[in-house]
Amino acid sequence: MGKILLMQILKTIAEVRQWVQECRRAGEAIHFVPTMGYFHEGHLSLMRRAKADGGRVIVSLFVNPLQFGPQEDFERYPRDFERDRAMAESVGVDAMFVPEASEMYPPDFQTQVRVQRLSQPLCGRSRPGHFEGVATVVLKLFHIVTPDRAYFGEKDYQQLRIIQQLVRDLNLTVEIVPCPIVREPDGLAMSSRNVYLTPEERAAATVLYRSLQWAQEQVAQGMRDAHVLREQVQAQIAASPYARIDYVEIVDAETLEPLEVIDRPARIAVAAYFGKARLIDNMALNPPSG
Ligand code: PAF
């Protein structure tokens, strides 16, 4: 009979360092998936990709208080450790780092990092301090886990760009692997926050995907005017009685600066409330060349 390899649960930084040392001694690469738990197919797709790339896979599960504003959903953010543990194990994750907040942020903790320009637009405007919280915890996790590769979903596109910039600016050696958005059959982007939706809000929320897809088709057919396209997408979403729009923006895919003319790789990004849930989504807008 083959050896049964159970996923290890690591609670302290010291335990992670020990685990990493053992992997390194065995000549294994370390592939890392940072998460806040309450797993869905989107998370599992990152873990499967990390596994398929070889090496040993470690997932962190930490609802990071630093990235939630005082009026946000830190307390009620969905949590289910036993379910998460079983799901991660089922896709072959080797270790899960599940620290207490005091392990990550001892009482005298006082350092934060800020990726200046990329943190300002889009979600940065309505969630002050959010991306500083993300960049700080991810940098800490990178120093603790010392991964060769780390996997991030494109659903949090601004977060992905910020982490890529952080890695470049601070000369980190980890390779960031962007992974595509995973959607429900009707197009709704998977998110742990989808559990906040009532059945009516859940049905209405598909307008986000439909309007983004429509925008993508317009650009593929030659539409260049970002202002007009943005207004049209906004109108489609606003037509839903359940939607309260935070923003609809068309931005340069690299710098996240707003575009007037879609003449380069761009991204359309939306954030809207459906009841208590603040949902985000985005899609690539690639103007045909020539
Ligand atoms: O995307 C997330 O789940 C979080 O922002 C991350 C990257 C795990 C940092 O807390």
Side-chain angles (χ1 to χ4, degrees), residues 171-196:
N171 308 97
L172 307 184
T173 53
V174 56
E175 180 192 339
I176 302 301
V177 183
C179 299
I181 299 175
V182 178
R183 298 182 179 280
E184 301 285 355
D186 63 6
L188 182 69
M190 291 205 183
S191 164
S192 304
R193 290 189 166 99
N194 289 352
V195 292
Y196 299 151

PDB file of all heavy atoms in Angstrom, residues 171-196:
ATOM      1  N   ASN A 171      12.594  43.891  -5.486  1.00  0.00           N
ATOM      2  CA  ASN A 171      13.549  42.875  -5.954  1.00  0.00           C
ATOM      3  C   ASN A 171      13.341  41.521  -5.300  1.00  0.00           C
ATOM      4  O   ASN A 171      14.299  40.843  -4.922  1.00  0.00           O
ATOM      5  CB  ASN A 171      14.997  43.349  -5.716  1.00  0.00           C
ATOM      6  CG  ASN A 171      15.226  44.723  -6.288  1.00  0.00           C
ATOM      7  OD1 ASN A 171      15.160  45.719  -5.571  1.00  0.00           O
ATOM      8  ND2 ASN A 171      15.430  44.776  -7.575  1.00  0.00           N
ATOM      9  N   LEU A 172      12.064  41.134  -5.139  1.00  0.00           N
ATOM     10  CA  LEU A 172      11.791  39.794  -4.605  1.00  0.00           C
ATOM     11  C   LEU A 172      12.019  38.790  -5.733  1.00  0.00           C
ATOM     12  O   LEU A 172      11.886  39.124  -6.910  1.00  0.00           O
ATOM     13  CB  LEU A 172      10.343  39.705  -4.098  1.00  0.00           C
ATOM     14  CG  LEU A 172       9.897  40.770  -3.098  1.00  0.00           C
ATOM     15  CD1 LEU A 172       8.476  40.490  -2.623  1.00  0.00           C
ATOM     16  CD2 LEU A 172      10.832  40.840  -1.903  1.00  0.00           C
ATOM     17  N   THR A 173      12.340  37.561  -5.361  1.00  0.00           N
ATOM     18  CA  THR A 173      12.664  36.581  -6.404  1.00  0.00           C
ATOM     19  C   THR A 173      11.479  35.672  -6.724  1.00  0.00           C
ATOM     20  O   THR A 173      11.545  34.871  -7.638  1.00  0.00           O
ATOM     21  CB  THR A 173      13.872  35.716  -5.983  1.00  0.00           C
ATOM     22  OG1 THR A 173      13.583  35.180  -4.701  1.00  0.00           O
ATOM     23  CG2 THR A 173      15.146  36.538  -5.934  1.00  0.00           C
ATOM     24  N   VAL A 174      10.373  35.807  -5.972  1.00  0.00           N
ATOM     25  CA  VAL A 174       9.209  34.950  -6.223  1.00  0.00           C
ATOM     26  C   VAL A 174       8.613  35.269  -7.596  1.00  0.00           C
ATOM     27  O   VAL A 174       8.554  36.432  -8.009  1.00  0.00           O
ATOM     28  CB  VAL A 174       8.148  35.137  -5.098  1.00  0.00           C
ATOM     29  CG1 VAL A 174       7.723  36.587  -4.940  1.00  0.00           C
ATOM     30  CG2 VAL A 174       6.931  34.248  -5.333  1.00  0.00           C
ATOM     31  N   GLU A 175       8.199  34.212  -8.296  1.00  0.00           N
ATOM     32  CA  GLU A 175       7.521  34.399  -9.590  1.00  0.00           C
ATOM     33  C   GLU A 175       6.015  34.455  -9.352  1.00  0.00           C
ATOM     34  O   GLU A 175       5.449  33.543  -8.743  1.00  0.00           O
ATOM     35  CB  GLU A 175       7.854  33.220 -10.517  1.00  0.00           C
ATOM     36  CG  GLU A 175       7.194  33.331 -11.875  1.00  0.00           C
ATOM     37  CD  GLU A 175       7.290  32.022 -12.666  1.00  0.00           C
ATOM     38  OE1 GLU A 175       8.180  31.197 -12.353  1.00  0.00           O
ATOM     39  OE2 GLU A 175       6.465  31.819 -13.558  1.00  0.00           O
ATOM     40  N   ILE A 176       5.375  35.525  -9.809  1.00  0.00           N
ATOM     41  CA  ILE A 176       3.924  35.655  -9.623  1.00  0.00           C
ATOM     42  C   ILE A 176       3.221  35.025 -10.827  1.00  0.00           C
ATOM     43  O   ILE A 176       3.503  35.386 -11.974  1.00  0.00           O
ATOM     44  CB  ILE A 176       3.518  37.143  -9.497  1.00  0.00           C
ATOM     45  CG1 ILE A 176       4.257  37.797  -8.314  1.00  0.00           C
ATOM     46  CG2 ILE A 176       2.003  37.282  -9.340  1.00  0.00           C
ATOM     47  CD1 ILE A 176       4.011  37.165  -6.959  1.00  0.00           C
ATOM     48  N   VAL A 177       2.316  34.091 -10.535  1.00  0.00           N
ATOM     49  CA  VAL A 177       1.596  33.395 -11.603  1.00  0.00           C
ATOM     50  C   VAL A 177       0.129  33.859 -11.593  1.00  0.00           C
ATOM     51  O   VAL A 177      -0.629  33.503 -10.689  1.00  0.00           O
ATOM     52  CB  VAL A 177       1.654  31.862 -11.403  1.00  0.00           C
ATOM     53  CG1 VAL A 177       0.963  31.138 -12.555  1.00  0.00           C
ATOM     54  CG2 VAL A 177       3.092  31.389 -11.248  1.00  0.00           C
ATOM     55  N   PRO A 178      -0.270  34.667 -12.606  1.00  0.00           N
ATOM     56  CA  PRO A 178      -1.668  35.105 -12.660  1.00  0.00           C
ATOM     57  C   PRO A 178      -2.546  33.967 -13.170  1.00  0.00           C
ATOM     58  O   PRO A 178      -2.153  33.251 -14.088  1.00  0.00           O
ATOM     59  CB  PRO A 178      -1.659  36.251 -13.691  1.00  0.00           C
ATOM     60  CG  PRO A 178      -0.231  36.471 -14.070  1.00  0.00           C
ATOM     61  CD  PRO A 178       0.528  35.239 -13.709  1.00  0.00           C
ATOM     62  N   CYS A 179      -3.719  33.789 -12.578  1.00  0.00           N
ATOM     63  CA  CYS A 179      -4.611  32.692 -12.976  1.00  0.00           C
ATOM     64  C   CYS A 179      -5.988  33.259 -13.342  1.00  0.00           C
ATOM     65  O   CYS A 179      -6.462  34.212 -12.708  1.00  0.00           O
ATOM     66  CB  CYS A 179      -4.763  31.691 -11.833  1.00  0.00           C
ATOM     67  SG  CYS A 179      -3.190  30.934 -11.370  1.00  0.00           S
ATOM     68  N   PRO A 180      -6.626  32.658 -14.384  1.00  0.00           N
ATOM     69  CA  PRO A 180      -7.889  33.224 -14.883  1.00  0.00           C
ATOM     70  C   PRO A 180      -9.031  33.170 -13.862  1.00  0.00           C
ATOM     71  O   PRO A 180      -9.037  32.330 -12.962  1.00  0.00           O
ATOM     72  CB  PRO A 180      -8.218  32.356 -16.103  1.00  0.00           C
ATOM     73  CG  PRO A 180      -7.334  31.165 -16.020  1.00  0.00           C
ATOM     74  CD  PRO A 180      -6.183  31.484 -15.126  1.00  0.00           C
ATOM     75  N   ILE A 181      -9.994  34.069 -14.054  1.00  0.00           N
ATOM     76  CA  ILE A 181     -11.186  34.114 -13.194  1.00  0.00           C
ATOM     77  C   ILE A 181     -11.995  32.838 -13.388  1.00  0.00           C
ATOM     78  O   ILE A 181     -12.169  32.386 -14.522  1.00  0.00           O
ATOM     79  CB  ILE A 181     -12.065  35.337 -13.571  1.00  0.00           C
ATOM     80  CG1 ILE A 181     -11.283  36.634 -13.351  1.00  0.00           C
ATOM     81  CG2 ILE A 181     -13.378  35.350 -12.784  1.00  0.00           C
ATOM     82  CD1 ILE A 181     -12.018  37.897 -13.801  1.00  0.00           C
ATOM     83  N   VAL A 182     -12.482  32.267 -12.289  1.00  0.00           N
ATOM     84  CA  VAL A 182     -13.361  31.095 -12.389  1.00  0.00           C
ATOM     85  C   VAL A 182     -14.794  31.589 -12.146  1.00  0.00           C
ATOM     86  O   VAL A 182     -15.053  32.330 -11.200  1.00  0.00           O
ATOM     87  CB  VAL A 182     -12.973  30.009 -11.363  1.00  0.00           C
ATOM     88  CG1 VAL A 182     -13.921  28.821 -11.442  1.00  0.00           C
ATOM     89  CG2 VAL A 182     -11.538  29.557 -11.613  1.00  0.00           C
ATOM     90  N   ARG A 183     -15.703  31.177 -13.046  1.00  0.00           N
ATOM     91  CA  ARG A 183     -17.075  31.697 -13.008  1.00  0.00           C
ATOM     92  C   ARG A 183     -18.087  30.579 -12.771  1.00  0.00           C
ATOM     93  O   ARG A 183     -17.836  29.429 -13.119  1.00  0.00           O
ATOM     94  CB  ARG A 183     -17.399  32.401 -14.336  1.00  0.00           C
ATOM     95  CG  ARG A 183     -16.497  33.585 -14.582  1.00  0.00           C
ATOM     96  CD  ARG A 183     -16.848  34.317 -15.887  1.00  0.00           C
ATOM     97  NE  ARG A 183     -15.958  35.467 -16.037  1.00  0.00           N
ATOM     98  CZ  ARG A 183     -16.127  36.633 -15.420  1.00  0.00           C
ATOM     99  NH1 ARG A 183     -17.177  36.815 -14.647  1.00  0.00           N
ATOM    100  NH2 ARG A 183     -15.263  37.624 -15.588  1.00  0.00           N
ATOM    101  N   GLU A 184     -19.229  30.951 -12.210  1.00  0.00           N
ATOM    102  CA  GLU A 184     -20.370  30.028 -12.125  1.00  0.00           C
ATOM    103  C   GLU A 184     -20.875  29.804 -13.558  1.00  0.00           C
ATOM    104  O   GLU A 184     -20.558  30.596 -14.454  1.00  0.00           O
ATOM    105  CB  GLU A 184     -21.489  30.664 -11.286  1.00  0.00           C
ATOM    106  CG  GLU A 184     -21.101  31.035  -9.860  1.00  0.00           C
ATOM    107  CD  GLU A 184     -20.995  29.823  -8.932  1.00  0.00           C
ATOM    108  OE1 GLU A 184     -21.311  28.693  -9.364  1.00  0.00           O
ATOM    109  OE2 GLU A 184     -20.593  30.022  -7.779  1.00  0.00           O
ATOM    110  N   PRO A 185     -21.696  28.759 -13.781  1.00  0.00           N
ATOM    111  CA  PRO A 185     -22.183  28.506 -15.143  1.00  0.00           C
ATOM    112  C   PRO A 185     -22.880  29.723 -15.768  1.00  0.00           C
ATOM    113  O   PRO A 185     -22.808  29.918 -16.977  1.00  0.00           O
ATOM    114  CB  PRO A 185     -23.165  27.343 -14.959  1.00  0.00           C
ATOM    115  CG  PRO A 185     -22.696  26.653 -13.722  1.00  0.00           C
ATOM    116  CD  PRO A 185     -22.103  27.709 -12.835  1.00  0.00           C
ATOM    117  N   ASP A 186     -23.526  30.562 -14.962  1.00  0.00           N
ATOM    118  CA  ASP A 186     -24.189  31.749 -15.529  1.00  0.00           C
ATOM    119  C   ASP A 186     -23.273  32.968 -15.609  1.00  0.00           C
ATOM    120  O   ASP A 186     -23.723  34.069 -15.925  1.00  0.00           O
ATOM    121  CB  ASP A 186     -25.467  32.091 -14.750  1.00  0.00           C
ATOM    122  CG  ASP A 186     -25.189  32.451 -13.294  1.00  0.00           C
ATOM    123  OD1 ASP A 186     -24.001  32.559 -12.904  1.00  0.00           O
ATOM    124  OD2 ASP A 186     -26.156  32.637 -12.531  1.00  0.00           O
ATOM    125  N   GLY A 187     -22.004  32.788 -15.321  1.00  0.00           N
ATOM    126  CA  GLY A 187     -21.038  33.866 -15.539  1.00  0.00           C
ATOM    127  C   GLY A 187     -20.614  34.615 -14.289  1.00  0.00           C
ATOM    128  O   GLY A 187     -19.598  35.319 -14.307  1.00  0.00           O
ATOM    129  N   LEU A 188     -21.362  34.510 -13.185  1.00  0.00           N
ATOM    130  CA  LEU A 188     -20.980  35.247 -11.972  1.00  0.00           C
ATOM    131  C   LEU A 188     -19.585  34.791 -11.506  1.00  0.00           C
ATOM    132  O   LEU A 188     -19.333  33.582 -11.381  1.00  0.00           O
ATOM    133  CB  LEU A 188     -22.002  35.000 -10.851  1.00  0.00           C
ATOM    134  CG  LEU A 188     -21.720  35.766  -9.558  1.00  0.00           C
ATOM    135  CD1 LEU A 188     -21.924  37.271  -9.739  1.00  0.00           C
ATOM    136  CD2 LEU A 188     -22.597  35.259  -8.413  1.00  0.00           C
ATOM    137  N   ALA A 189     -18.698  35.757 -11.287  1.00  0.00           N
ATOM    138  CA  ALA A 189     -17.346  35.414 -10.825  1.00  0.00           C
ATOM    139  C   ALA A 189     -17.437  34.800  -9.432  1.00  0.00           C
ATOM    140  O   ALA A 189     -18.152  35.310  -8.563  1.00  0.00           O
ATOM    141  CB  ALA A 189     -16.480  36.670 -10.788  1.00  0.00           C
ATOM    142  N   MET A 190     -16.714  33.695  -9.220  1.00  0.00           N
ATOM    143  CA  MET A 190     -16.756  33.063  -7.899  1.00  0.00           C
ATOM    144  C   MET A 190     -16.092  33.956  -6.862  1.00  0.00           C
ATOM    145  O   MET A 190     -15.052  34.555  -7.132  1.00  0.00           O
ATOM    146  CB  MET A 190     -16.072  31.713  -7.958  1.00  0.00           C
ATOM    147  CG  MET A 190     -16.877  30.748  -8.768  1.00  0.00           C
ATOM    148  SD  MET A 190     -16.551  29.060  -8.296  1.00  0.00           S
ATOM    149  CE  MET A 190     -17.566  28.236  -9.503  1.00  0.00           C
ATOM    150  N   SER A 191     -16.727  34.041  -5.703  1.00  0.00           N
ATOM    151  CA  SER A 191     -16.215  34.882  -4.616  1.00  0.00           C
ATOM    152  C   SER A 191     -16.766  34.341  -3.308  1.00  0.00           C
ATOM    153  O   SER A 191     -17.925  33.897  -3.253  1.00  0.00           O
ATOM    154  CB  SER A 191     -16.709  36.323  -4.807  1.00  0.00           C
ATOM    155  OG  SER A 191     -16.553  37.056  -3.605  1.00  0.00           O
ATOM    156  N   SER A 192     -15.952  34.395  -2.266  1.00  0.00           N
ATOM    157  CA  SER A 192     -16.436  33.965  -0.949  1.00  0.00           C
ATOM    158  C   SER A 192     -17.608  34.834  -0.519  1.00  0.00           C
ATOM    159  O   SER A 192     -18.469  34.410   0.245  1.00  0.00           O
ATOM    160  CB  SER A 192     -15.316  34.059   0.089  1.00  0.00           C
ATOM    161  OG  SER A 192     -14.211  33.307  -0.348  1.00  0.00           O
ATOM    162  N   ARG A 193     -17.652  36.081  -1.010  1.00  0.00           N
ATOM    163  CA  ARG A 193     -18.713  37.016  -0.606  1.00  0.00           C
ATOM    164  C   ARG A 193     -20.044  36.729  -1.303  1.00  0.00           C
ATOM    165  O   ARG A 193     -21.058  37.340  -0.936  1.00  0.00           O
ATOM    166  CB  ARG A 193     -18.276  38.459  -0.853  1.00  0.00           C
ATOM    167  CG  ARG A 193     -17.175  38.915   0.089  1.00  0.00           C
ATOM    168  CD  ARG A 193     -16.903  40.402  -0.033  1.00  0.00           C
ATOM    169  NE  ARG A 193     -16.094  40.906   1.068  1.00  0.00           N
ATOM    170  CZ  ARG A 193     -14.774  41.114   1.016  1.00  0.00           C
ATOM    171  NH1 ARG A 193     -14.109  40.845  -0.087  1.00  0.00           N
ATOM    172  NH2 ARG A 193     -14.134  41.583   2.065  1.00  0.00           N
ATOM    173  N   ASN A 194     -20.076  35.820  -2.281  1.00  0.00           N
ATOM    174  CA  ASN A 194     -21.347  35.515  -2.942  1.00  0.00           C
ATOM    175  C   ASN A 194     -22.361  34.913  -1.963  1.00  0.00           C
ATOM    176  O   ASN A 194     -23.565  34.961  -2.205  1.00  0.00           O
ATOM    177  CB  ASN A 194     -21.142  34.557  -4.124  1.00  0.00           C
ATOM    178  CG  ASN A 194     -20.430  35.237  -5.298  1.00  0.00           C
ATOM    179  OD1 ASN A 194     -20.230  36.451  -5.293  1.00  0.00           O
ATOM    180  ND2 ASN A 194     -20.027  34.460  -6.289  1.00  0.00           N
ATOM    181  N   VAL A 195     -21.869  34.377  -0.827  1.00  0.00           N
ATOM    182  CA  VAL A 195     -22.818  33.797   0.149  1.00  0.00           C
ATOM    183  C   VAL A 195     -23.699  34.865   0.796  1.00  0.00           C
ATOM    184  O   VAL A 195     -24.721  34.546   1.378  1.00  0.00           O
ATOM    185  CB  VAL A 195     -22.134  32.998   1.297  1.00  0.00           C
ATOM    186  CG1 VAL A 195     -21.491  31.737   0.799  1.00  0.00           C
ATOM    187  CG2 VAL A 195     -21.137  33.850   2.069  1.00  0.00           C
ATOM    188  N   TYR A 196     -23.297  36.133   0.699  1.00  0.00           N
ATOM    189  CA  TYR A 196     -24.128  37.196   1.279  1.00  0.00           C
ATOM    190  C   TYR A 196     -25.384  37.459   0.447  1.00  0.00           C
ATOM    191  O   TYR A 196     -26.295  38.161   0.902  1.00  0.00           O
ATOM    192  CB  TYR A 196     -23.359  38.521   1.337  1.00  0.00           C
ATOM    193  CG  TYR A 196     -22.096  38.542   2.185  1.00  0.00           C
ATOM    194  CD1 TYR A 196     -21.047  39.403   1.854  1.00  0.00           C
ATOM    195  CD2 TYR A 196     -21.950  37.745   3.312  1.00  0.00           C
ATOM    196  CE1 TYR A 196     -19.888  39.463   2.613  1.00  0.00           C
ATOM    197  CE2 TYR A 196     -20.793  37.799   4.076  1.00  0.00           C
ATOM    198  CZ  TYR A 196     -19.770  38.654   3.725  1.00  0.00           C
ATOM    199  OH  TYR A 196     -18.627  38.718   4.482  1.00  0.00           O
TER     200      TYR A 196
END
